[in-house]
Amino acid sequence: MSDSLLTHLNPQQAEAVTLPARHALVLAGAGSGKTRVLTTRIAWLLQQGVVSPAGILAVTFTNKAAREMLSRVEAMLPVNARGMWIGTFHGLCNRLLRAHHRDAGLDRLFQILDVADQLAAIKRLLKTLNIDDEKFPPRDLQYFINAHKEAGLRPHAVEALDEYTRRRAELYQEYENQCQRESVVDFAELLLRSFELLQRNEPIRRHYQQRFRYILVDEFQDTNVLQYRWLKLLATNGEEGGAALFCVGDDDQSIYRFRGAEIGNMRDFEREFRVQDVIRLEQNYRSHGNILDAANAIIRNNGNRLGKNLWTDRGEGEPIRVFEAYSDSDEARWIVEEIQSLFCDGVSRGDIALLYRANAQSRVLEHQLFSAGVPYRVHGGLRFFERQEIKHALAYLRLLANPGDDTAFMRVVNFPTRGIGARTQETLQDTARQRNESLYAAVPHLSGKSAISLARFVSLIETMRRETETLPLPELVEHVLDLSGLRTHYQTEREGQDRLENLDELVRAAENFCAESRASSEVLAQPHALLADFLSHASLEAGDHQAGAQEEAVQLMTVHAAKGLEFDIVFLCGLEEGLFPHSNSLHESAAGLEEERRLMYVAVTRARERLYLSCAQSRLLHGQTHYHPQSRFLGEIPEELLKPLSPLVPRVARSSGFRIGQNVRHPTFGYGVIVAAEGGGNDAKLRINFGDAGVKWLLLSMAKLEAV
């Protein structure tokens, strides 16, 4: 029977599966059969009789992965895998706390707050304490609380270097008191409370240390500090040696530092547990050789790696196609044309994925797909016009176009928060119903304190309408974003950068709409009339061409959302410095850039058969046109692996020392950026934007340019 379990494993996989009872680290490269190794390891341990189902603890990061692990084990052996503890960190901690609720200081029927419930609880706390939620934004406080819990810190242990931090620590304590009174726990509390239970209660800790003889951990590179400490508590038992930790992960795919993932846990585990067995799974069963060679070449530039090199016996496959466009719109148009060509060759829509670094990039891609009638699905997120911040912005714009739009009114009357509570809104709705008027029209007929805030809101909308009457549509949108307070609101959110980028992209959408509109000059001269057309366009794009659940569709997603997935054909767009790698990482230490490179490695290894890489010479970001150089990651791929597709404007050869997007200084015109080039050798000419000095064509051999 054991031979049948090992039949379909390669030598390295079989070595990992049949390891004796000691700590081991399995470095599982992308597409190397990680899940097969984990599940076969469990089945092999059970089949060999070295442990009972109750003696196995397996930890993964998603409920889907846990279910898959259970079903695979049950398919391999006639055993009831339900007796094993297999689940997510949160799920296993919940199970532990339910069994020992009294020792953990919890009610037997304690309830769990999801992320939305936790935020609502924090808002309710601030209101009860009469705390200004502009000074202490609820989402920011939520992040503060969870980050400290995940670091294992209770309120009294928070280091308060200033008054603001001290006050937030006090609110953290008030939040804990409220949760204890109401017998609820949030996700971070599940892990922290479980850790504290094991740490402080020796009998319970020893019970589980002796029970679990084998602990298997999936996606070990994604563990945070507290999760690793939790594992160490269960594995440490000096008298009997503790459980054997079998940790499977890939340091080259550690891309969740912003969520608290600590890549250093892998090296700490190897050192602290004196790991003798470090097994590398390097044979890839997913991608062709050229794709893997590119991934290896890119990730090799990171330092402090545990080290591995992916290979395959599937052959080299096709070269990696690289395309450079004039602009991001041209890039999106080319991608869609290439996709349509693939359809003609018989490729299924569901086998194609479009990957991008930032959510805001999807808007221009969605627009081109919509225009071409190509069904698509945004994976792991909403389509552009369905995102919260965009719907809020559109609601303000809809009120400018039509004050009688009650749905838009209700969406933003108290967003951002302006003290118009549910009771006031109900009173307004009753008044409007009695008078058979819109909510907007009913506001002047309210009296008392509740009417003051509503009147201010109406006054705000009227001010917007008055101040935007003569503005071009893009400037109108920009003005509304500022005056409404939406930009300020999202600036206060800890993770609001994506939302701000999406708001900038909405301005870009308005610019594109004007450029592509066939409206008459009379309509273009009437911004509010053009606004109505733009809003109709947004509604149509939000409502059409999003594929149904069962319909085959092109997949759109960020690279983060693509981790764990694979596709026959992958388009990776926006490969420019400042976008990928993201500008935020370039301002950090080397760790930030190395995480971006790992993200690039993940993106490349999503492709099975064919990979397209694209960039644009100019890209409109945050309302401004930028001329960023090509991503350094493109330059890290050996040229023999690439198939350049004719760019619209060739870049100056690297031997000349200059490239599109590069900053330069001219002795007369000052500082500028290269935006175009033509010719070569002594005849090479550069088009340079010198800002106030204008845009000029200069002969490279005569220009006396200095690279900045």
Side-chain angles (χ1 to χ4, degrees), residues 589-603:
S589 62
L593 178 58
E594 292 202 346
E595 176 133 336
E596 289 290 298
R597 187 172 283 111
R598 292 193 292 270
L599 195 59
M600 179 68 178
Y601 176 84
V602 167

Side-chain angles (χ1 to χ4, degrees), residues 175-341:
Y175 167 76
E176 284 209 329
N177 296 342
Q178 174 178 287
C179 289
Q180 192 67 28
R181 283 195 307 271
E182 298 175 4
S183 193
V184 295
V185 298
D186 54 52
F187 286 152
E189 182 69 19
L190 283 172
L191 185 62
L192 181 53
R193 186 77 65 114
S194 174
F195 171 78
E196 290 172 342
L197 171 67
L198 293 171
Q199 185 182 50
R200 297 170 182 172
N201 194 310
E202 184 178 357
I204 292 177
R205 180 174 71 251
R206 288 183 61 82
H207 166 75
Y208 287 103
Q209 287 173 341
Q210 293 168 5
R211 171 177 177 164
F212 297 127
R213 308 313 305 152
Y214 291 86
I215 299 177
L216 301 94
V217 188
D218 190 14
E219 304 286 6
F220 187 56
Q221 78 280 351
D222 292 336
T223 54
N224 62 33
V225 171
L226 187 57
Q227 287 164 343
Y228 179 48
R229 291 173 66 190
W230 186 85
L231 290 168
K232 288 200 293 183
L233 275 182
L234 288 172
T236 301
N237 187 337
E239 295 180 6
E240 300 186 19
L245 268 173
F246 184 86
C247 298
V248 181
D250 183 1
D251 57 323
D252 290 334
Q253 294 189 75
S254 179
I255 59 173
Y256 295 121
R257 190 165 61 108
F258 65 96
R259 293 182 186 169
E262 179 50 67
I263 191 173
N265 286 347
M266 301 188 79
R267 286 199 176 276
D268 290 345
F269 168 59
E270 187 180 5
R271 184 186 71 256
E272 294 171 0
F273 284 83
R274 299 183 180 87
V275 176
Q276 301 175 37
D277 299 297
V278 178
I279 298 174
R280 289 168 171 79
L281 304 183
E282 298 174 301
Q283 183 174 0
N284 177 284
Y285 294 92
R286 175 188 302 159
S287 308
H288 283 303
N290 284 338
I291 294 172
L292 298 181
D293 288 346
N296 289 330
I298 291 166
I299 201 64
R300 202 173 291 131
N301 290 280
N302 270 3
N304 202 31
R305 295 172 60 225
L306 293 170
K308 63 184 175 309
N309 199 64
L310 297 179
W311 63 275
T312 184
D313 58 10
R314 296 188 62 205
E316 292 182 354
E318 301 179 22
I320 297 167
R321 292 161 169 81
V322 182
F323 181 79
E324 181 179 48
Y326 270 129
S327 66
D328 48 349
S329 294
D330 293 320
E331 177 191 41
R333 190 176 300 111
W334 169 79
I335 288 173
V336 173
E337 289 173 355
E338 194 70 21
I339 286 173
Q340 291 174 311
S341 176

